[in-house]
Amino acid sequence: IQTAAFDNSIGMPELANSFFTTVGVEIDSLGYGNIVQYNYFGLSVSTELTFPCEHGVLFSGTGSGRVEYNVMHSMQRGISDTDTGHPVRHFGNLIVDSTLLGVDVGHDGAVDDNDSNDSDGIQNYPVMTKAVATTDGIIVAGTLTSLSSTSFYIDLYHTTTAEASGHGGAEAYLGRTTVETDSSGRGAFQAALPYYFAAGTYVTATAVTTSATGSTSEFAANLQVVEGSRAALCFATTTNYVSGAMPGLASWLPGDILELGSPNLELGQATDGTWSFVAAFGIDVDAIHRVNSDIVWVDLQLFAGDILFSPQYSGSITVSGQTVNVYDLELYLFRPTSTSFPALGGTVTMVVSLSSLGSQQGALCLIESSTTLVSNVPLLPGDLIMGLGTAVWYSRPTSLGPNP
């Protein structure tokens, strides 16, 4: 498609094409509004034979357009763009066995590093933080740093084998979710998808603005799928506090175990090992603590039934119909008002940053009354005990918030 050609469509669901040439489709200078869809590049429509190409779809000069639902096999680049100043949007393409990059923005054969405020004209790709296989499917999560206060589509993909670049390919298109960046340009996303993939395979993603302007990013760095597991336990030492304004999660007895994992909140009894569903919490955590009594922590009033937690991965949860972004290495307060499935009611607030620790904590306990450790270390109400690596540490915060 050459100079000033516009609004052309190459391929359609009922009439797919196969391309075996050096460049399958090239959209040249000033070509715009063109769409390439439902075609086969590097293999026949029957997908039985492969014919390697250098490029599947190449946008050269100032060409722009959309590339959707194509299959691209055994080539240097699946989708490539030589001029990043004009929008090239793509999703749903299956791109396999690329020798350079499945998506190459800038046509330079190398992955373009994300920049801090996404001002270099090349859309930042997402950073995948979670890919957990469960009995119900797969839960994926990640973050995006890009333009501030902007809505983005995140398109998700799966591949059995990672390509040499570590970014892609895309054997299966899993669908899309959305993320809204905050005033600093940071956003988090999470999606539960009804597909099962074995541990050891990979997920990746691309990002593009939900508006009609802007180009799609390159593939994110692949993240390996892991099997889901119980993420954190909290031993209940008293019965649950119940009040009309703040009912807590459920009634339980001393010795019961509150656990977060896979990623529901459940109540178990240590005596016979039975478990009962409490609430759909929506995210795995590294650490959880259930507040047993009313306490003022530094300058924050905590009530019995409050839950302190730190996410295992950055992601999002839905509380009282609102999506809340949460990040690893930060400690959050969940104050429940309702746990009726599937709606989780209450508030979630970030209370203290743990980023200075440099690593995720594997356990958490808030000291609620004065006590002494076996090594004769005196602990005061408000102290935090945390498991970090192979050691147990305690912290005595003097202030809360993002910079304690």
Side-chain angles (χ1 to χ4, degrees), residues 65-77:
R66 292 163 31 219
V67 184
E68 302 170 0
Y69 301 116
N70 299 278
V71 179
M72 303 178 182
H73 196 287
S74 300
M75 55 192 61
Q76 292 181 5
R77 303 169 174 90

Side-chain angles (χ1 to χ4, degrees), residues 131 157-162 198 200-204 222-225:
Y157 301 87
H158 173 265
T159 187
T160 302
T161 304
T201 58
Y202 300 88
V203 294
T204 185
N222 297 322
L223 181 66
Q224 200 165 50
V225 176

